[in-house]
Amino acid sequence: MRRTPFRRLFAAALLVASVLAPMAMAPATAVHAAADRYDEDRYDKGRYDKDRYDKNDCPRGGLGPELTARMDQAVEGVRQEAGIPGVTVGLWLPGQGCYVRSTGVADIVTRRPMTTDLFMRIGSETKTFTATALLQLVDDRRVRLDDPISRYVRGVPNGHRITVRHLAQMRSGLFPYSADPDFVHALLSDPSRFFTPRELLAYAFRNPNTFAPGERFQYSNTNFVLLGLVVEKVSGKRFADYLRERVIRPAGLRRTLFAEGPGFPEPHARGYTNQTLSGEIEDATDWNPSWAWAAGAMISELRDLRRWAEVVATGTLLSPRTQRERLKTLPTGFPGTDYGLGIFESGGWIGHNGSIPGYQSVTVYLPARKATLVVLLNTDVTYEGQEPSSLVARAITEVVTPDHVYDRPAPPR
């Protein structure tokens, strides 16, 4: 096992690191009936309601035997080559069919198989929820995208010139707190530690800004922690409460939540990372995600993410004008990827991916085909410099949408 460099960024979507050693594999499993409704009142006890599963989610026949077999081969091939413990894939192509499968294991110790009903941490996909919350306040005329962040949050370096839009576009120039060595040491020394948003920002603000506002793209969780504080300031509600009341419930998501501590509803997959002090792979399932807050602390599952992909891409919770603002993408400097307001475009697919120690995901929508793709993995360890979630998504889209290949290359360190 190659040691992971200590300064590796904890990142979420566009940041990468070391290599995953091969893990033992299990055969692919067929579609599994899933728990359909997450019960908030029972969350602390890890219970859920199994009574309302939509059995017509992917009717028999799928994409047909030939295409289904090609998909099975593509997904399992990447999983084994990259040493991914478990993968869940959902692909819905209107007029053509669907593909819902899990392969591999959810727990490398017990060999429990990966299934399609599992809760997963979704990392930076949280940013699509945070951006939606912010843009609702824009629709309510309580926030303006070109307001300086200093109007809402004090103490931001160069905050009188950095706008809300700059933050949502990842073009603020604020230092990413997750790249601060002291932050990394604090988190890895005690992954159960609870961080407040202000503590996270303190790690960022002790470093100089990296460029002038709007000058270029730099992926930074600092931006979305600040946007979470804007939502709280303007709405007068706790961020988690606002998300639940104005975003999660109106979107019809029944098994999605903003995690405020290490608790994890059942059933869930165990997650594996090498973002550790030793560089060895460890179980990160119960790490406290407070360090990611509005940039990456959410939990969801396959079918909720299917619904969310279309909500985000079509602007269901926003006015058409504000949705157009969200979808105005700019180059990131990485070939094949443009970024809007908490959303990216790759090969015609729009949405976001997520990475948090132990887990990766992709949730994207293809307007040209009205297609939805969701990929969920229980590792964040890269393979030959590539994020495993991107490898899986690319393999799938090369088979089913060859004119629209999801090909978001990982940037260099």
Side-chain angles (χ1 to χ4, degrees):
M1 168 62 68
R2 190 174 77 187
R3 183 182 179 87
T4 303
F6 178 76
R7 65 184 298 274
R8 175 180 173 187
L9 304 184
F10 272 82
L14 299 170
L15 307 175
V16 299
S18 177
V19 178
L20 173 64
M23 294 182 180
M25 305 302 167
T29 56
V31 178
H32 295 263
D36 186 65
R37 183 174 66 83
Y38 165 65
D39 185 342
E40 292 177 359
D41 296 332
R42 297 179 178 179
Y43 168 56
D44 290 336
K45 298 180 181 180
R47 299 172 63 187
Y48 62 98
D49 182 348
K50 294 184 177 180
D51 296 334
R52 299 182 64 190
Y53 171 58
D54 178 5
K55 299 184 187 304
N56 295 318
D57 182 66
C58 188
R60 290 182 180 180
L63 295 174
E66 181 180 350
L67 190 52
T68 296
R70 290 177 62 198
M71 287 281 288
D72 285 343
Q73 183 178 18
V75 173
E76 182 65 4
V78 171
R79 187 183 74 81
Q80 296 218 27
E81 181 180 4
I84 302 166
V87 178
T88 289
V89 172
L91 174 70
W92 294 269
L93 291 165
Q96 187 172 352
C98 55
Y99 178 92
V100 178
R101 289 285 192 277
S102 287
T103 179
V105 296
D107 186 323
I108 64 173
V109 176
T110 67
R111 314 304 300 160
R112 173 168 56 96
M114 194 76 159
T115 56
T116 63
D117 63 329
L118 301 180
F119 287 97
M120 305 283 279
R121 299 195 189 279
I122 61 171
S124 276
E125 290 197 36
T126 302
K127 293 178 175 67
T128 58
F129 291 84
T130 301
T132 298
L134 174 77
L135 294 173
Q136 286 178 329
L137 295 172
V138 171
D139 272 339
D140 294 343
R141 299 187 177 181
R142 302 176 71 185
V143 174
R144 292 185 298 181
L145 287 171
D146 295 315
D147 283 345
I149 187 58
S150 60
R151 178 169 295 182
Y152 305 100
V153 182
R154 294 181 180 179
V156 179
N158 208 19
H160 65 291
R161 294 186 58 206
I162 296 170
T163 67
V164 171
R165 188 189 300 273
H166 287 141
L167 296 169
Q169 291 175 327
M170 300 291 190
R171 303 181 96 82
S172 70
L174 291 169
F175 187 87
Y177 67 82
S178 49
D180 181 89
D182 289 339
F183 165 77
V184 175
H185 187 270
L187 176 58
L188 295 187
S189 298
D190 181 12
S192 66
R193 173 176 170 176
F194 181 83
F195 290 89
T196 67
R198 288 290 183 175
E199 287 173 330
L200 299 173
L201 293 177
Y203 285 109
F205 297 167
R206 62 193 283 184
N207 295 279
N209 290 8
T210 55
F211 53 84
E215 184 177 284
R216 59 185 176 88
F217 175 92
Q218 181 187 34
Y219 196 86
S220 173
N221 288 331
T222 303
N223 296 322
F224 275 74
V225 169
L226 281 167
L227 293 180
L229 291 177
V230 171
V231 171
E232 289 195 331
K233 171 80 171 179
V234 175
S235 70
K237 296 178 180 290
R238 295 171 62 254
F239 183 70
D241 294 338
Y242 185 94
L243 277 190
R244 184 172 58 253
E245 296 168 13
R246 291 287 310 275
V247 180
I248 295 172
R249 285 176 176 168
L253 309 182
R254 292 175 288 182
R255 302 186 73 219
T256 298
L257 64 144
F258 182 80
E260 298 185 78
F264 209 153
E266 295 285 357
H268 60 258
R270 309 299 297 182
Y272 303 94
T273 188
N274 66 350
Q275 296 197 66
T276 58
L277 287 176
S278 69
E280 298 299 316
I281 293 176
E282 296 180 9
D283 188 326
T285 307
D286 299 317
W287 285 22
N288 191 333
S290 64
W291 70 268
W293 200 55
M298 293 191 74
I299 292 170
S300 190
E301 54 85 59
L302 180 68
R303 288 163 180 82
D304 266 13
L305 291 175
R306 174 198 179 184
R307 183 177 183 85
W308 181 242
E310 186 171 357
V311 167
V312 171
T314 63
T316 300
L317 300 181
L318 302 176
S319 70
R321 178 179 179 180
T322 301
Q323 178 67 5
R324 286 194 294 271
E325 292 295 316
R326 168 153 56 186
L327 297 180
K328 289 180 180 177
T329 60
L330 295 172
T332 63
F334 305 114
T337 304
D338 295 335
Y339 204 86
L341 302 179
I343 196 169
F344 68 62
E345 184 274 332
S346 175
W349 294 89
I350 55 178
H352 217 289
N353 63 342
S355 184
I356 194 167
Y359 301 88
Q360 283 199 345
S361 58
V362 175
T363 297
V364 287
Y365 182 81
L366 182 62
R369 298 278 300 275
K370 296 184 179 179
T372 301
L373 173 64
V374 179
V375 176
L376 298 166
L377 285 68
N378 60 341
T379 186
D380 68 305
V381 187
T382 59
Y383 175 71
E384 296 184 349
Q386 294 286 312
E387 293 174 324
S389 58
S390 293
L391 293 174
V392 174
R394 182 166 65 237
I396 291 167
T397 55
E398 285 175 342
V399 171
V400 296
T401 57
D403 294 333
H404 297 281
V405 174
Y406 177 98
D407 191 15
R408 195 193 53 69
R413 285 187 221 140

